[in-house]
Amino acid sequence: MALRLEVTSCSFILLSLLIAVVVQQSSARKLTDGYDKDIEQFVNLKINDQTNTHIKEVDDGHPKMSKNHKHAHASSHMEHLDPLLYVFFTLSDLKVGKKMPIYFPYSRPSETPKLLPKEEADSIPFSTSQLEYLLTLFSFPKDSPQAKAVEYTLKQCELESIKGETKFCATSLKSMLDFATKMLGGDTQLKVLTTTRLSNSTILLQNYTILEEPRETVAAKMVTCHSMPYPYAIFYCHCQESNNRLFEILLGADNGDRMKASAICHMDTSQWDKDHASFKVLKTKPGASHVCHFLSTDSLVWLAA
């Protein structure tokens, strides 16, 4: 039976820009072993929390974005910067009162992919060698945006890991939990952090101010998982041996919107691609500086409890 689920172009563009990043929630949840319905509902909630709304004008002069997601370009020092790139910053920005434009995606539940049980997910091929078969299965025309998104995700999942990194594309919640447990220790109880909306906002890009001293979560190791564009839920997970730093940050907008955001600072970028979007935004290069980024609401960071 063909699957007729749509992959939105917004998700495709966003996730293609955030290949190497990670995640977030206001209070860490401790998880027990096994496939639990409460965990499934939580993860489904996160991948649903991503919509076709608008972008408010921000301090650097960036104009509003219309509902069809056509992106206007900034006319300031960030000229030609896509709105989706307003997620990067440096440690020097982490101070109370700092205001910056930040992009937080949001999608209607009807537009987001759902988790499949492991047995069903395992029965579906997940490889570029089976791309033609998969496009037929999903009823996606070969040159359609959906077909391009499927191919993109498969290729990203088949790329070699960078030095010191272990990566895995989880096709089910069970496989994601198994990978996180393996990376963090077989007997480890897990907790998860993610970015959470504290208000009913549909604004994609607007200015936020840091309201409280950012809280750092110390973790010797973490597994970050990002939702990928696909007809059903796929998470790109990676675990890197480095001194990454994880923060929880309370943000407030002028209109009253509040976000409990999680952010990661990658202290070693020497192995990153020189064309990574963050280097353009922060005007740096691989190995020359750390890179911090806010995590989207459909990303998850798994830690040892």
Side-chain angles (χ1 to χ4, degrees):
M1 181 176 65
L3 300 178
R4 298 178 180 272
L5 301 176
E6 182 176 356
V7 179
T8 64
S9 59
C10 179
S11 295
F12 170 57
I13 297 171
L14 171 64
L15 291 162
S16 68
L17 294 170
L18 299 179
I19 297 170
V21 297
V22 199
V23 93
Q24 348 66 82
Q25 154 135 321
S26 55
S27 58
R29 295 192 177 203
K30 295 184 179 180
L31 305 177
T32 56
D33 294 335
Y35 188 82
D36 187 281
K37 283 297 179 184
D38 288 339
I39 303 174
E40 180 181 4
Q41 291 171 4
F42 170 67
V43 176
N44 267 325
L45 175 65
K46 300 315 296 180
I47 62 177
N48 284 342
D49 184 23
Q50 288 257 322
T51 195
N52 300 330
T53 49
H54 63 286
I55 292 178
K56 294 185 68 176
E57 187 170 342
V58 295
D59 282 348
D60 69 352
H62 201 298
K64 295 179 180 179
M65 184 176 80
S66 62
K67 290 186 178 181
N68 60 10
H69 281 100
K70 291 181 179 177
H71 298 163
H73 294 292
S75 58
S76 66
H77 66 287
M78 288 188 174
E79 187 175 3
H80 305 308
L81 181 64
D82 192 293
L84 303 178
L85 296 180
Y86 283 93
V87 294
F88 300 109
F89 63 95
T90 64
L91 283 169
S92 63
D93 295 315
L94 285 183
K95 52 192 176 185
V96 177
K98 174 69 176 182
K99 178 181 282 191
M100 62 183 99
I102 308 171
Y103 182 97
F104 288 111
Y106 180 85
S107 298
R108 297 184 181 94
S110 61
E111 297 175 340
T112 55
K114 306 300 181 186
L115 287 160
L116 294 183
K118 187 176 188 304
E119 297 74 18
E120 184 177 354
D122 288 348
S123 71
I124 303 173
F126 190 77
S127 168
T128 52
S129 65
Q130 297 293 317
L131 180 61
E132 186 175 345
Y133 167 79
L134 289 169
L135 296 183
T136 300
L137 177 68
F138 301 143
S139 299
F140 290 161
K142 183 178 180 180
D143 296 321
S144 66
Q146 294 85 355
K148 290 182 177 14
V150 168
E151 183 178 15
Y152 163 80
T153 291
L154 292 172
K155 285 184 174 180
Q156 290 302 318
C157 289
E158 292 176 357
L159 287 176
E160 289 187 14
S161 301
I162 64 174
K163 184 179 179 181
E165 179 188 60
T166 303
K167 73 180 185 68
F168 172 72
C169 280
T171 59
S172 67
L173 176 61
K174 180 65 165 58
S175 62
M176 178 165 54
L177 291 174
D178 287 346
F179 176 74
T181 300
K182 178 182 177 181
M183 292 294 99
L184 298 175
D187 298 325
T188 300
Q189 189 177 29
L190 302 177
K191 67 179 180 181
V192 63
L193 296 181
T194 185
T195 289
T196 302
R197 284 183 174 80
L198 303 181
S199 56
N200 248 345
S201 175
T202 56
I203 303 297
L204 299 181
L205 173 65
Q206 63 179 324
N207 291 308
Y208 287 94
T209 300
I210 297 178
L211 301 179
E212 297 177 357
E213 190 71 26
R215 187 177 74 175
E216 183 170 5
T217 297
V218 179
K221 216 171 188 183
M222 65 184 76
V223 174
T224 303
C225 297
H226 313 280
S227 178
M228 298 293 284
Y230 211 70
Y232 54 91
I234 299 292
F235 281 87
Y236 179 101
C237 300
H238 54 109
C239 180
Q240 191 172 3
E241 297 176 9
S242 65
N243 58 337
N244 292 338
R245 299 176 66 180
L246 177 62
F247 295 89
E248 292 179 86
I249 307 164
L250 181 61
L251 300 170
D254 293 340
N255 67 350
D257 287 347
R258 294 290 185 272
M259 299 286 294
K260 186 69 171 182
S262 290
I264 289 181
C265 291
H266 301 271
M267 306 309 292
D268 181 7
T269 60
S270 60
Q271 300 298 315
W272 289 24
D273 190 308
K274 64 180 177 61
D275 295 322
H276 194 281
S278 63
F279 298 137
K280 175 184 177 182
V281 176
L282 300 177
K283 294 181 170 51
T284 186
K285 59 185 179 181
S289 173
H290 65 273
V291 169
C292 302
H293 63 85
F294 288 100
L295 293 153
S296 62
T297 55
D298 66 342
S299 292
L300 304 167
V301 173
W302 300 96
L303 307 166

